[in-house]
Amino acid sequence: MPIPPSPAELIDHLVRTRIAGNVATPRENNLDHYRRLAQGDRHYWFGLEFGDRWTDEQDVLAVMAERCGVNDDLEHRMGQDTIDPRLTVAALERMAAFLRKAAEGRQRVLFATGHPGGLLDVHRTTAAALRAAGCEIVAIPSGLRADEGSVYQVADVAVFERGATLWHTHSPAPMAAILDGLRQAGRPLPDLVVADHGWAGCAAGQGIDAVGFADCNDPALFLAEAEGTLQVAVPLDDHVADPRFYEPMTAYLLSAAGLAQG
């Protein structure tokens, strides 16, 4: 784990590695997802319930501009879009407050990712820091199934597997399987979930404190944060060229939470 950067150093790193700034996710993909969410396509709801509160694509775009930093002009239909690195840093600091609270209270924390190719090590490192601080990292029940695949843990992080491969998934079903499995086993639910995609959305939708990472084409988590259902959504490109690029960001997060190791 590198030495935690200063906020200015982290902003520079985020932009250079395209975790934020001019990101790889194209504008047309962002607007397509905003439109599909507004049209009620539940694949883009990430296990949350929005009713008829977000049926205007322009309203969704306004939240994404405010909380993620995408271009707020609906007429900008194609090409480059952005994530504001200052919003990323601010959200990391809000997430850090929840991690600090979890450590101080030795809470039960569940980690999960639908983006194992990008964010698995971010979650793994954070889980290790909380375990060292005395938290219980929730062990999920064995034999869980969802979406024609298996749900299990790798290095304390819940993941979705099918065909001997870890899958990128937006589905809330794997998290629903975990929470149902815990209930059926008579075990307590997590005090805090740290996740992304439908894993975070499902937990938040069931009333559990949840914080998560979200790309600029994942509007559901930012809308949930705006509504107060999700506690924190950290804007970032969730699959950049090298997952090691996230290491300074993780170091900053853990330092802000008082969990820096070494």
Side-chain angles (χ1 to χ4, degrees):
M1 183 59 57
I3 296 173
S6 68
E9 290 169 337
L10 180 57
I11 286 172
D12 178 68
H13 173 78
L14 295 173
V15 172
R16 283 189 293 104
T17 58
R18 301 186 73 184
I19 294 172
N22 289 332
V23 293
T25 309
R27 176 66 168 190
E28 50 269 35
N29 182 260
N30 285 343
L31 293 183
D32 178 64
H33 287 201
Y34 305 167
R35 181 172 57 255
R36 290 174 182 268
L37 181 146
Q39 291 172 344
D41 187 336
R42 288 180 175 268
H43 175 75
Y44 298 93
W45 285 21
F46 285 13
L48 293 150
E49 290 297 328
F50 293 120
D52 59 359
R53 297 187 299 280
W54 299 100
T55 58
D56 188 329
E57 178 187 352
Q58 182 72 64
D59 292 339
V60 177
L61 176 61
V63 171
M64 294 303 293
E66 176 188 13
R67 294 180 177 269
C68 186
V70 301
N71 190 312
D72 64 358
D73 182 4
L74 190 59
E75 297 307 311
H76 175 47
R77 308 300 300 182
M78 300 183 66
Q80 184 66 59
D81 214 340
T82 56
I83 292 174
D84 187 337
R86 296 167 299 178
L87 294 178
T88 305
V89 172
L92 287 169
E93 292 171 355
R94 296 197 304 274
M95 179 182 281
F98 281 88
L99 299 182
R100 182 186 293 272
K101 177 183 176 183
E104 291 173 347
R106 299 198 170 187
Q107 293 181 349
R108 298 181 304 278
V109 187
L110 173 63
F111 287 83
T113 185
H115 235 302
L119 298 179
L120 179 60
D121 207 48
V122 176
H123 291 296
R124 178 198 64 80
T125 304
T126 307
L130 282 179
R131 183 186 291 280
C135 287
E136 175 190 343
I137 306 304
V138 175
I140 71 173
S142 299
L144 297 179
R145 302 281 297 174
D147 293 338
E148 300 181 352
S150 300
V151 185
Y152 61 87
Q153 279 173 304
V154 174
D156 283 333
V157 184
V159 292
F160 177 70
E161 182 269 344
R162 192 162 69 189
T165 301
L166 300 186
W167 276 56
H168 168 215
T169 177
H170 289 187
S171 173
M175 178 58 77
I178 293 172
L179 300 179
D180 289 345
L182 291 172
R183 293 186 184 99
Q184 291 169 12
R187 293 171 53 195
L189 296 181
D191 299 307
L192 177 68
V193 167
V194 183
D196 46 68
H197 287 178
W199 304 78
C202 176
Q206 294 198 28
I208 298 169
D209 278 353
V211 296
F213 302 97
D215 208 328
C216 54
N217 63 353
D218 295 335
L221 296 188
F222 295 101
L223 298 182
E225 182 186 31
E227 292 189 336
T229 307
L230 184 81
Q231 300 303 317
V232 180
V234 178
L236 48 67
D237 186 316
D238 53 18
H239 197 130
V240 292
D242 187 339
R244 289 174 293 188
F245 289 163
Y246 296 110
E247 290 178 359
M249 181 194 79
T250 308
Y252 184 89
L253 173 66
L254 297 183
S255 177
L259 297 170
Q261 296 177 308

